[in-house]
């Protein structure tokens, strides 16, 4: 099975013709349904999500039988979700491999002919399914003939995919910082909760979003909040995250000047106030320390790299704040350092100041 990340999934959704079906395999809580809904809704298409694992018989999918008007035959009432006009829809079949076998039989004609109980979906409609994969799930084995009706992909979004999404969706910065330092804990800690082997609780992306909402506006979460979080991401990981909240997690000016490549990714996810603190800290560091020849070269390269990052990521307010520290001349020694040892950066700062 071919593996794809979030960027590749968007490209596949864009390029796959409407008449071809897509099946996404992957763990729970990684954003399959959210991405499908967002992508097609932005294109003006209605997305109908059907949770097949909740359906007890085919009637839940195709509708109930009734006697025809002449009383000679039976027919099916259309289900609530079936389009009443010629407007195409995206039919998202979630939990496909949790459905009962008799429900799966109904899917065969839908996947092949876009037909359900004699009714045809409007032209241009799409059929997309999602399945969980892994031994930890209680699943129904899918018929190879059914699978053959879908283009099959193993969806594995990267940690960076989630970090980018988290920043765009206002996930608490403390959660983002924790995952930056512990990327393996985004989805699972790799161990079960040994006290409750049948009720394992490990972290997933959906869980971290819940944690973010729990700690929102709380500068010092209580022990009860800790237990609340442990119930979401598991005891081991919940305690690790709770303990991290009491530690200073931000990047310092010294970190930037001495180890910029190491902290570069973390900087990308910092807030404006944190970036402004780094700016001031950089000038303080340059203003208060006598640097040797090797340190001068390293700090020059890293200072330029940091300013480039602010521009590349379009952190315009943070960039202006950096320029302001230089222009106000409160850090004479730091300014002299930039003029003497980082002339290219000095010229760029001067150019910005002239435009202000």
């Amino acid at each position: 099975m071919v593996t794809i990340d979030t960027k590749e999934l968007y490209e596949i959704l864009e390029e796959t013709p409407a008449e071809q079906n897509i099946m996404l395999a992957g763990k729970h809580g990684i954003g399959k349904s959210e991405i499908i809904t967002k992508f097609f809704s932005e294109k003006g298409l209605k997305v109908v999500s059907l949770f097949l694992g909740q359906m007890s018989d085919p009637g839940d999918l195709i509708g109930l039988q009734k006697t025809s008007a002449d009383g000679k035959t039976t027919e099916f009432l259309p289900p609530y979700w079936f389009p009443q006009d010629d407007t195409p829809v995206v039919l998202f079949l979630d939990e496909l491999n949790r459905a009962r076998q008799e429900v799966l039989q109904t899917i065969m004609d839908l996947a092949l002919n876009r037909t359900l109980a004699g009714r045809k979906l409007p032209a241009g409609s799409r059929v997309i399914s999602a399945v969980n994969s892994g031994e930890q799930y209680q699943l129904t084995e899918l018929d190879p003939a059914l699978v053959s009706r879908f283009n099959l992909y193993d969806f594995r979004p990267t940690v960076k995919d989630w970090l980018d999404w988290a920043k765009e969706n206002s996930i608490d910065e403390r959660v983002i910082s924790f995952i930056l330092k512990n990327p393996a804990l985004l989805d699972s800690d790799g161990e079960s909760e040994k006290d409750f082997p049948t009720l394992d609780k490990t972290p997933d992306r959906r869980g971290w979003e819940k944690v973010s909402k729990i700690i929102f506006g709380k500068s010092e979460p209580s022990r009860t909040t800790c237990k609340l979080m442990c119930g979401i991401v598991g005891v081991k990981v919940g305690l690790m995250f709770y303990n991290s909240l009491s530690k200073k997690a931000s990047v310092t000016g010294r970190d930037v000047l001495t180890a910029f490549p190491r902290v570069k990714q973390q900087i990308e996810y910092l807030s404006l106030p944190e970036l402004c603190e780094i700016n001031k800290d950089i000038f303080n560091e340059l203003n208060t320390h006598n640097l040797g020849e090797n340190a001068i070269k390293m700090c020059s390269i890293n200072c330029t790299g940091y300013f480039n990052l602010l521009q590349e990521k379009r952190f315009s307010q943070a960039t202006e704040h950096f320029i302001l520290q230089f222009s106000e001349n409160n850090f004479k020694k730091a300014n002299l350092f930039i003029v003497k040892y980082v002339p290219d950066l000095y010229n760029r700062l001067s150019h910005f100041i002239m435009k202000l």
Side-chain angles (χ1 to χ4, degrees):
M1 192 188 313
V2 64
T3 299
I4 60 173
D5 59 22
T6 300
K7 180 176 180 293
E8 291 167 326
L9 173 56
Y10 276 109
E11 292 172 350
I12 284 171
L13 293 176
E14 188 70 56
E15 296 182 21
T16 302
E19 64 271 14
Q20 295 185 21
N21 308 319
I22 293 173
M23 180 183 292
L24 299 177
K27 296 176 62 177
H28 63 282
I30 58 175
K32 298 186 292 292
S33 58
E34 182 179 349
I35 290 174
I36 297 300
T37 301
K38 180 176 183 290
F39 178 84
F40 287 108
S41 294
E42 289 178 350
K43 291 183 174 293
L45 290 171
K46 181 181 179 181
V47 179
V48 179
S49 297
L50 299 176
F51 296 92
L52 301 188
Q54 300 175 3
M55 296 183 175
S56 58
D57 62 58
D60 293 337
L61 180 63
I62 64 177
L64 299 177
Q65 279 188 336
K66 71 168 185 174
T67 305
S68 63
D70 59 11
K72 295 181 179 180
T73 59
T74 58
E75 57 189 25
F76 289 93
L77 289 166
Y80 73 92
W81 56 265
F82 202 90
Q84 300 299 308
D85 53 27
D86 293 330
T87 304
V89 298
V90 178
L91 198 56
F92 181 55
L93 308 176
D94 206 356
E95 302 179 340
L96 183 67
N97 58 343
R98 293 180 183 271
R100 300 165 66 95
Q101 285 292 349
E102 51 267 36
V103 174
L104 289 175
Q105 294 302 316
T106 306
I107 300 298
M108 298 285 275
D109 193 27
L110 180 64
L112 183 62
N113 302 310
R114 297 290 197 277
T115 301
L116 195 62
R119 297 185 192 86
K120 200 167 185 66
L121 289 174
S125 293
R126 295 173 178 267
V127 177
I128 299 176
S129 67
V131 298
N132 291 132
S133 58
E135 296 180 358
Q136 68 269 43
Y137 301 107
Q138 296 179 357
L139 305 173
T140 304
E141 187 174 351
L142 297 180
D143 190 314
L146 175 60
V147 176
S148 70
R149 287 162 165 76
F150 291 84
N151 302 345
L152 180 60
Y153 305 100
D154 182 13
F155 179 47
R156 298 188 185 184
T158 64
V159 174
K160 187 178 185 305
D161 288 338
W162 185 84
L163 288 169
D164 291 339
W165 172 89
K167 186 176 181 182
E168 292 174 2
N169 289 271
S170 302
I171 296 300
D172 192 282
E173 291 155 6
R174 291 167 291 181
V175 173
I176 293 175
S177 178
F178 181 77
I179 297 303
L180 273 167
K181 293 182 177 181
N182 304 277
L185 301 183
L186 175 58
D187 293 305
S188 174
D189 65 350
E191 298 181 7
S192 65
E193 306 291 352
K194 296 180 175 54
D195 292 338
F196 301 96
T198 60
L199 287 174
D200 294 348
K201 191 65 178 177
T202 53
D204 58 47
R205 298 166 193 235
R206 186 183 299 139
W208 285 116
E209 183 180 5
K210 293 179 182 178
V211 167
S212 174
K213 292 178 179 178
I214 292 295
I215 65 173
F216 179 77
K218 298 178 180 177
S219 58
E220 297 183 8
S222 66
R223 293 295 297 178
T224 301
T225 302
C226 175
K227 291 185 177 182
L228 217 172
M229 295 187 297
C230 287
I232 298 172
V233 295
V235 174
K236 178 181 176 181
V237 176
L239 285 172
M240 286 178 63
F241 177 66
Y242 178 76
N243 290 333
S244 76
L245 296 179
S246 62
K247 299 175 182 177
K248 184 176 175 61
S250 191
V251 178
T252 67
R254 179 171 293 185
D255 293 332
V256 171
L257 293 172
T258 61
F260 174 68
R262 178 174 59 81
V263 298
K264 179 180 178 180
Q265 187 181 30
Q266 188 173 348
I267 292 171
E268 294 179 17
Y269 297 96
L270 296 180
S271 65
L272 176 60
E274 288 175 313
L275 291 172
C276 291
E277 284 300 316
I278 291 177
N279 291 343
K280 289 189 288 186
D281 208 17
I282 287 173
F283 279 86
N284 274 320
E285 285 289 325
L286 294 175
N287 213 54
T288 56
H289 289 84
N290 293 317
L291 303 174
E293 185 177 344
N294 291 335
I296 287 174
K297 183 177 180 180
M298 175 182 62
C299 290
S300 301
I301 294 172
N302 288 338
C303 190
T304 301
Y306 172 72
F307 188 78
N308 289 342
L309 178 65
L310 294 182
Q311 290 194 286
E312 289 167 7
K313 293 298 178 179
R314 298 179 181 174
F315 296 146
S316 58
Q317 290 177 289
T319 302
E320 291 174 4
H321 182 267
F322 186 96
I323 298 168
L324 188 63
Q325 305 310 300
F326 180 81
S327 65
E328 290 186 343
N329 206 26
N330 293 326
F331 303 96
K332 294 184 178 180
K333 189 175 176 181
N335 286 7
L336 182 61
F337 173 88
I338 292 174
V339 171
K340 185 175 181 179
Y341 298 111
V342 204
D344 179 62
L345 179 58
Y346 166 67
N347 290 332
R348 291 163 65 189
L349 294 176
S350 299
H351 178 70
F352 277 110
I353 292 170
M354 291 175 63
K355 290 172 61 177
L356 294 177

